[in-house]
Every structure is written in C-alpha cells, then in structure tokens.
C-alpha cells in the first residue's frame, strides 16, 4: 500500500494544513518483538530506553523525521472551535441538529446520512 487514495480536491487541503507527510507514509507492519523489547527497556523515571549501548530518548525531531510532519511554529492548544455547528454549516452548507454535535465532535452517522456524496 503506497498511500491512501484521496481525491486531488482533498489533497490540496491535506497539504495546506501540513499533513502531507502522513498521507505519503507507507504502511509498515508492526514488529511485535521489537515493540516488546522496547517496552521492557523503557524507564518511566527517566523517560528513556535503557539499551545495551546506553540511554536513548525519542525527541520531537525524531517524530518529525519519521512522520514528515512540520514541527516549527507556535503550538496548537486550547479550544479552537467556538461554534462547531456554524463551522459545519460554513464548510458543508448544511446546519446539523444540536444532537449531531458532541463537544466539538460531529456524529459520523449524521454526516454519512446527510452528505453521503462526499
């Protein structure tokens, strides 16, 4: 599997928000033996792996290299959606009923029933 099959109209937004790295990531099967070995060597006190060659820590830069996601700029925190129903209306042109929104999440069943052509 080389990448997800996504329409070009959607890919422009994926690229705009900086998630093209995830889109381009190839599927890699999980190596259960490696995961088990890492779990056994993890030390909660130091937040690092104790390996035969020394200590190793995963940094944000390591994650950025592996996922190809940008790590520069201001951190995104807090509540970004003040009016989630209004956002759905602006983006999809349909106002969801109050029960279709939970917090800032949109019920998939409502979305699938309402805009199945997407």
């Amino acid at each position: 599997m080389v990448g997800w099959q996504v329409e070009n109209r959607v890919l422009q937004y994926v690229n705009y928000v900086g998630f093209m790295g995830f889109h381009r990531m190839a599927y890699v099967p999980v190596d259960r033996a490696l995961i088990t070995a890492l779990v056994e060597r993890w030390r909660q006190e130091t937040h690092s792996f104790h390996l035969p060659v020394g200590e190793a820590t995963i940094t944000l830069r390591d994650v950025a290299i592996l996922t190809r996601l940008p790590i520069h700029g201001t951190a995104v925190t807090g509540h970004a959606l003040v009016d989630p129903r209004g956002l759905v209306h602006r983006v999809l042109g349909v106002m969801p009923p109050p029960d279709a929104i939970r917090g800032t999440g949109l019920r998939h069943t409502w979305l699938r029933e309402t805009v199945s052509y997407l």
Side-chain angles (χ1 to χ4, degrees):
M1 185 168 155
V2 175
W4 305 329
Q5 296 299 321
V6 181
E7 282 190 39
N8 285 335
R9 294 181 302 158
V10 176
L11 279 180
Q12 68 182 348
Y13 294 107
V14 172
N15 188 44
Y16 176 75
V17 297
F19 285 151
M20 203 58 149
F22 273 136
H23 172 69
R24 291 186 180 138
M25 283 177 62
Y27 172 77
V28 178
V30 175
D31 185 341
R32 295 182 189 276
L34 175 62
I35 299 296
T36 301
L38 289 173
V39 167
E40 290 173 355
R41 288 165 176 79
W42 176 254
R43 298 297 178 261
Q44 184 65 34
E45 312 81 45
T46 58
H47 298 286
S48 61
F49 296 101
H50 287 244
L51 305 172
V53 294
E55 271 187 63
T57 298
I58 306 298
T59 66
L60 181 58
R61 177 109 173 106
D62 296 327
V63 174
I65 290 169
L66 293 170
T67 62
R68 300 183 197 128
L69 288 175
I71 59 169
H72 306 291
T74 308
V76 178
T77 61
H79 300 285
L81 291 178
V82 176
D83 181 21
R85 289 181 69 218
L87 175 64
V88 172
H89 184 257
R90 284 192 305 279
V91 172
L92 300 177
V94 180
M95 180 65 81
D99 67 333
I101 302 281
R102 283 206 184 122
T104 57
L106 182 62
R107 279 190 26 238
H108 291 146
T109 53
W110 176 85
L111 186 62
R112 191 172 35 249
E113 293 166 358
T114 307
V115 286
S116 61
Y117 60 89
L118 293 178

